[in-house]
């Protein structure tokens, strides 16, 4: 598992170069990619459904990205978009269409449903965390005004 | 504020939004940035709307006259450094006002900023492909040869993009090249199976992220963007799979694979 986590981090960092992430942000992107894959692998190792693992992974990655974004004063997407690549079901989407073309409809349907579940779970993970972050920031500001 | 000045401010807001949208920023970030820039220059009543293929802005001046502007977005890539730069720009404009001419020059400078050069990105794609072979459970031989396939695929895709072949054809040819590469390595007995290798090389093209962002947009209430990003992802993956599938079919028939 350690090898896979380190490879996911390396993959995220090198894809960061393709998407023109620069300087120290690149290292943080790589760390976030590895972190997300670690959470996902931890869930999978404990026999949790893959899409639930992806939900937790994307939630943890969004928390990391929001914190890093506030520290470095840049949009959270910089740390999130590329770091998500090792877990988003891009490969499964590819095999979905490939199976359709081969005529293996049952395999295609399974892949298609899995793609929907997995990317849906990742999107929900991001949305839940970022809405709570906004509420949290607003609350903190209001508390600051009162105190 | 006269017509000319308002037009100039709208133009700055549109250009800022366009840079964010063309380089992979979120829809709400585009819309918010355009509104922030307008209010920083003293226009209070402003509404903006963005989808992955266009942006619209409409403002009302103090006399009640309406001005609007639409910009078509034809190019969609990811260059997160530019998104970051425009974000810093809009933050700076709100805090210490500058003249419209300065703002426009600054945006033009951001848009001209260069990305990593071709060889750096090819090397990054090569390393990324090698890393992905391990993530997908590949062995040592796949790790080594994935490096070459990933780098070569990146060079090919960059070249095809440079001659402006259109994203569908570029992706179809990319899929074909990755499948051919994987098949050749397998044919010569260098790797046990083409699948992990081809998939790892294609990770730089598959639209998993676009599809996730589509669902994210839809859940955030940007329904039109959700639909267009979803269709974008589907057509990219269809192009990749038809390129790869067609190649494998031909190879199976004539190559004796």
């Amino acid at each position: 598992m350690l090898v896979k986590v380190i490879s996911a981090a390396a993959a995220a960092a090198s894809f960061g170069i393709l998407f023109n992430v620069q300087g120290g942000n690149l290292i943080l992107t790589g760390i976030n990619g590895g972190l997300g894959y670690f959470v996902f692998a931890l869930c999978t190792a404990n026999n949790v459904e893959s899409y639930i693992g992806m939900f937790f992974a994307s939630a943890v990655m969004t928390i990391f990205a929001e914190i890093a974004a506030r520290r470095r004063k840049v949009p959270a997407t910089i740390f999130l978009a590329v770091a998500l690549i090792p877990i988003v079901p891009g490969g499964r989407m590819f095999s979905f269409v490939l199976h359709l073309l081969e005529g293996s409809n049952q395999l295609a349907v399974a892949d298609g449903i899995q793609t929907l579940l997995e990317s849906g779970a990742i999107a929900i993970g991001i949305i839940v965390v970022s809405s709570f972050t906004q509420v949290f920031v607003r609350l903190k500001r209001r508390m600051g005004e009162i105190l | 504020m006269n017509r000319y000045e308002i037009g100039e401010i709208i133009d700055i807001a549109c250009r800022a939004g366009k840079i964010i949208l063309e380089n992979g920023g979120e829809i709400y970030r585009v819309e918010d940035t355009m509104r922030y820039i307008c209010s920083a220059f003293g226009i209070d009543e402003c509404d903006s709307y963005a989808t992955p293929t266009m942006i619209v802005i409409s403002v009302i001046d103090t006399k009640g006259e309406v001005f609007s502007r639409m910009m078509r977005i034809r190019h969609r890539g990811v260059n997160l450094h530019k998104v970051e730069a425009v974000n810093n720009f809009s933050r700076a404009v709100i805090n210490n006002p500058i003249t419209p001419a300065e703002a426009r020059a600054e945006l033009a400078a951001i848009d001209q900023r260069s990305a990593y050069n071709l060889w750096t990105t090819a090397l990054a794609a090569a390393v990324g492909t090698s890393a992905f072979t391990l993530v997908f459970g590949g062995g040592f031989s796949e790790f080594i040869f994935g490096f070459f396939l990933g780098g070569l695929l990146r060079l090919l895709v960059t070249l095809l993009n440079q001659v402006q072949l259109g994203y569908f054809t570029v992706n179809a040819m990319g899929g074909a090249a990755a499948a051919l590469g994987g098949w050749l390595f397998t044919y010569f007995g260098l790797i046990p199976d083409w699948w992990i290798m081809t998939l790892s090389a294609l990770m730089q093209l598959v639209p998993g992220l676009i599809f996730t962002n589509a669902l994210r947009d839809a859940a955030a209430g940007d329904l039109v963007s959700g639909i267009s990003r979803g269709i974008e992802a589907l057509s990219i993956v269809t192009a990749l799979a038809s390129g790869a599938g067609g190649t494998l079919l031909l190879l199976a028939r004539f190559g004796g694979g």
Side-chain angles (χ1 to χ4, degrees):
Chain A
M1 190 167 103
L2 188 67
V3 175
K4 287 194 176 187
V5 170
I6 293 171
S7 324
S14 43
F15 274 45
I17 292 179
L18 299 185
F19 292 163
N20 202 15
V21 179
Q22 294 192 344
N25 295 347
L26 201 57
I27 297 166
L28 285 170
T29 299
I31 293 173
N32 202 12
L35 177 70
Y37 197 86
F38 173 70
V39 174
F40 172 64
L42 209 62
C43 292
T44 319
N46 290 303
N47 294 324
V48 179
E49 291 280 352
S50 73
Y51 60 92
I52 296 177
M54 287 184 181
F55 167 79
F56 286 120
S58 82
V60 169
M61 286 159 98
T62 313
I63 294 172
F64 181 93
E66 294 281 357
I67 293 170
R70 277 174 178 72
R71 283 277 157 82
R72 296 184 68 96
K73 297 223 181 306
V74 293
T77 335
I78 308 263
F79 307 108
L80 192 58
V82 184
L84 282 170
I85 291 179
I87 63 161
V88 289
R92 208 182 283 284
M93 232 180 141
F94 173 70
S95 79
F96 159 63
V97 183
L98 206 58
H99 282 140
L100 274 185
L101 294 176
E102 286 170 359
S104 339
N105 289 351
Q106 269 182 339
L107 289 174
V109 169
D111 273 335
I113 290 173
Q114 201 67 20
T115 304
L116 264 181
L117 281 175
E118 290 178 357
S119 29
I122 293 171
I124 293 170
I126 298 168
I127 288 166
V128 168
V129 172
S130 42
S131 359
F132 272 109
T133 313
Q134 276 166 19
V135 173
F136 178 71
V137 168
R138 232 176 291 148
L139 271 180
K140 210 173 149 193
R141 200 172 295 159
R142 196 161 296 171
M143 290 300 276
E145 280 166 14
I146 293 170
L147 293 174
Chain B
M1 211 178 284
N2 63 32
R3 298 177 73 93
Y4 177 74
E5 284 168 338
I6 290 177
E8 208 170 24
I9 293 161
I10 291 179
D11 185 62
I12 291 163
C14 274
R15 276 170 205 276
K18 190 179 179 189
I19 294 175
I20 298 179
L21 198 51
E22 282 184 339
N23 292 297
E26 306 98 316
I27 296 294
Y28 74 83
R29 191 179 300 284
V30 176
E31 293 176 348
D32 289 353
T33 303
M34 289 166 75
R35 277 204 307 277
Y36 290 152
I37 288 177
C38 281
S39 76
F41 282 108
I43 298 176
D44 294 325
E45 271 198 76
C46 164
D47 227 335
S48 57
Y49 176 70
T51 75
T53 49
M54 68 155 196
I55 44 186
V56 180
I57 186 167
S58 175
V59 305
I60 298 183
D61 71 358
T62 40
K63 284 167 240 147
E65 200 170 349
V66 180
F67 300 86
S68 68
R69 172 97 191 253
M70 190 278 263
M71 258 195 193
R72 178 78 166 87
I73 307 297
R74 291 213 160 74
H75 162 83
R76 277 178 305 284
V78 185
N79 183 333
L80 294 173
H81 183 63
K82 286 189 185 175
V83 175
E84 181 191 336
V86 176
N87 199 59
N88 291 339
F89 164 81
S90 77
R91 209 185 271 263
V93 168
I94 293 166
N95 292 331
N96 31 328
I98 53 175
T99 68
E102 284 169 346
R104 205 184 289 192
E106 201 164 318
L107 280 176
I110 289 173
D111 208 17
Q112 291 297 314
R113 275 189 207 176
S114 56
Y116 291 99
N117 67 34
L118 176 63
W119 299 109
T120 313
T121 54
L123 184 67
V127 173
T129 304
S130 283
F132 268 118
T133 59
L134 295 183
V135 175
F136 294 139
F140 183 69
S141 54
E142 276 141 340
F143 179 78
I144 297 297
F145 296 116
F147 184 86
F148 297 104
L149 186 60
L152 285 175
L153 183 64
R154 186 71 201 178
L155 290 178
L156 175 76
V157 168
T158 314
L159 178 77
L160 293 178
N161 273 326
Q162 220 123 63
V163 296
Q164 297 186 336
L165 211 53
Y167 80 97
F168 195 90
T169 319
V170 170
N171 281 306
M173 294 183 76
L180 179 66
W183 185 86
L184 279 178
F185 281 119
T186 317
Y187 186 76
F188 290 113
L190 298 170
I191 51 170
D193 187 46
W194 62 277
W195 173 246
I196 288 179
M197 178 89 134
T198 300
L199 188 62
S200 307
L202 280 179
M203 283 310 282
Q204 49 184 305
L205 296 175
V206 290
L209 193 61
I210 299 178
F211 194 67
T212 304
N213 281 337
L215 293 179
R216 211 175 133 189
D217 279 343
D222 292 322
L223 303 178
V224 177
S225 304
I227 290 171
S228 25
R229 285 226 165 109
I231 295 294
E232 187 186 8
L234 265 185
S235 53
I236 290 174
V237 82
T238 305
L240 289 174
S242 40
T247 308
L248 290 170
L249 201 75
L250 285 177
L251 288 172
R253 181 147 306 171
F254 301 111

